[in-house]
Amino acid sequence: MAKKRIKLKKKGVFNAVILSIYVLLTLASIVLLCIRGVSALKPVYILNIGADIMGMFVALVLSACGYVDYRGSGEYHRFYMSMVNVVFLGLFTDEIAWLVDALPRLRMVNLIDNSLFYLATTVVGYFFWRYVTSLLHVTEKKWIKRCTALMGICLIIALVMRVVNLFTGIYFTVNRDGVYERGTLFFAPMVFSVAVLMLAFIVIMQNREKLRLSQRVALILYVVMPFIVSVMTVSIYGLSVTFSVLVLVLVLMYGMVNIERGMKKAVIEKDLNMATRIQEGVLPREFPAFPDRKEFDLYASMDPAKEVGGDFYDFFLTDEDHLAVVVADVSGKGVPAALFMMVAKALLKNRLKNGDTPGQALYSVNNQLLKGGQELMFVTVWMAILEISTGKGVSVNAGHEHPILKHRGGSFEAVEYRHSVPVATMEDMRFREREFKLEKGDTLFVYTDGVPEAMNDAGKFYGVPGMLEGLNAMEAESPKEVVEGMQKRLEEFVGGAEQFDDITMLCLNYNGI
């Protein structure tokens, strides 16, 4: 979990850096245009530069939208954003090419810049292919894999040939006057782009039933428009708006994808809202839970990282003198974990209600879960049965966090002892039971790993020491005050950072008879 958080945070930083580069290059483009001066440029140059700058602004907006989408949902459409990045590079290099054209002292800049421009025309086709195949979920087909591998080789060849062109001028040259001129093999690099777009068109048509009409139109436009623009650039030498047109198609694609995403999201949200209500009904939420019992008091909360979570807690009387307490954490998040949680919770409660000890209950539930085909998920559990009249109890820790205990007049301390393995990992496992005794005025605090693993914007974990410090700094006495106090301290520590894990806490005060 910690590695996943760090990875997501690094990707967020990468997106922010790319967006910052976009802003700087766009501003630099305007500054360079002002330095060169509009009056010194031919009308066709001004047309191309204006189209490039407008396209860069559009690409900047698309990049910002992608960054916002990522911050909001964690989704990162890698190949689409790669297309945006390459198109932005194409627009920037095209503008620079027009600005430095016919400036002999900047001949080498012109040469290198145009090399990057033509490389971008090749790379953007490759990323479109990757985007289409991933969007249609056909990346595992053998012929798709072979085509993708071949395209990767062609990209390497294209890069080498661009370097070769600097010395041979087979594609284009920049003469001593700093003027760009097409070479004899000017059209050769277009072969790759044409082949890629034709293959992408074939894939789109073969899998068109997977796409809505609006999506098909957007993708086909991306295939068709480069051909139309290529004809224009050949017949009207000096006109270069390929990337300007592509960025407009990317806007259309973004809109179509987001319409589809919005429709799916609406359905998913409806289902998740229902799942949330179901889960809220499964966990005991009414407090005080046992208003007629003065021997103890308890309070618990579960804050899922998503709409539904895999953490759960439970407490109930197995008879008039025994209280069962369970806190557990299912591997994974979201709906699958929530479903697994509900099954595990029901099975555990049933076994304890039937008179099993904690170890016996976990032994039985462990085998039931594994026989039910749930071997891909597991659950860590801390559970105990407390004899209310004496404060004596029996607990089991199946791979869960160490409980925290505060004796009357003392401070909160972690009670560390050897764990058993998590539930649903191996068949016929015996779970070690441990006896304990609560004295009058003792407080027990049990939690899931979402508490110590809460992370702030600086990448620092709250940690068990921080949790103990927070508990001991509070003047709270009732279980509700303890749990709510910890919730507040966690919120202050985390700040604006995203919650990556479910957070569950249960606090019990033993008052004795």
Side-chain angles (χ1 to χ4, degrees), residues 84-105:
V84 174
N85 293 337
V86 177
V87 166
F88 186 92
L89 175 65
L91 291 163
F92 180 73
T93 52
D94 187 56
E95 186 213 3
I96 298 300
W98 293 113
L99 287 174
V100 302
D101 197 54
L103 295 178
R105 65 182 182 279

Side-chain angles (χ1 to χ4, degrees), residues 382-402:
W382 185 92
M383 61 186 301
I385 293 181
L386 175 69
E387 189 175 50
I388 301 170
S389 59
T390 64
K392 294 180 180 179
V394 177
S395 69
V396 171
N397 191 329
H400 201 74
E401 302 295 311
H402 296 295

Side-chain angles (χ1 to χ4, degrees), residues 36-42 45:
R36 180 71 194 272
V38 175
S39 60
L41 299 171
K42 297 178 182 179
Y45 286 23

Side-chain angles (χ1 to χ4, degrees), residues 8-9 53 117 129 136 145 149 157 165 190 214 243 263 267 326 338 385 387 427 465 510:
L8 290 174
K9 185 173 182 181
I53 292 177
F117 173 81
W129 166 261
L136 295 171
K145 285 184 175 180
I157 295 174
N165 179 76
M190 294 183 183
S214 57
F243 285 106
M263 295 175 67
V267 175
V326 182
I385 293 181
E387 189 175 50
E427 289 188 8
Y510 180 66

Side-chain angles (χ1 to χ4, degrees), residues 50 90 99 107 141 151 203 317 328 362 378 400 412 432 486:
L99 287 174
R107 177 180 175 276
K141 290 186 177 182
M151 289 177 193
V203 173
L317 295 172
L362 287 179
F378 62 88
H400 201 74
F412 284 98
R432 185 181 298 104
M486 281 302 299

Side-chain angles (χ1 to χ4, degrees), residues 27-193:
L27 293 175
S29 300
I30 298 173
V31 172
L32 290 173
L33 177 59
C34 294
I35 293 173
R36 180 71 194 272
V38 175
S39 60
L41 299 171
K42 297 178 182 179
V44 69
Y45 286 23
I46 297 172
L47 174 63
N48 278 276
I49 292 171
D52 289 333
I53 292 177
M54 289 302 297
M56 290 168 68
F57 272 114
V58 175
L60 174 61
V61 172
L62 282 177
S63 180
C65 290
Y67 178 68
V68 171
D69 289 345
Y70 172 77
R71 293 286 295 179
S73 65
E75 294 184 18
Y76 184 73
H77 301 280
R78 179 162 54 114
F79 297 121
Y80 177 83
M81 293 309 299
S82 296
M83 283 193 292
V84 174
N85 293 337
V86 177
V87 166
F88 186 92
L89 175 65
L91 291 163
F92 180 73
T93 52
D94 187 56
E95 186 213 3
I96 298 300
W98 293 113
L99 287 174
V100 302
D101 197 54
L103 295 178
R105 65 182 182 279
L106 295 178
R107 177 180 175 276
M108 187 55 65
V109 173
N110 197 349
L111 195 61
I112 295 173
D113 180 79
N114 272 289
S115 297
L116 291 174
F117 173 81
Y118 284 110
L119 183 62
T121 61
T122 305
V123 174
V124 74
Y126 170 78
F127 280 125
F128 178 68
W129 166 261
R130 297 299 303 271
Y131 175 73
V132 168
T133 54
S134 61
L135 180 68
L136 295 171
H137 305 289
V138 294
T139 54
E140 295 304 314
K141 290 186 177 182
K142 287 185 178 179
W143 79 274
I144 298 289
K145 285 184 175 180
R146 289 170 182 169
C147 286
T148 304
L150 180 60
M151 289 177 193
I153 295 172
C154 289
L155 281 181
I156 296 174
I157 295 174
L159 176 60
V160 173
M161 292 306 295
R162 296 306 184 277
V163 175
V164 171
N165 179 76
L166 295 175
F167 304 98
T168 62
I170 56 175
Y171 298 141
F172 68 89
T173 60
V174 178
N175 62 30
R176 293 182 178 279
D177 295 325
V179 177
Y180 164 89
E181 295 177 346
R182 290 176 176 175
T184 55
L185 296 179
F186 169 75
F187 299 106
M190 294 183 183
V191 174
F192 175 83
S193 297

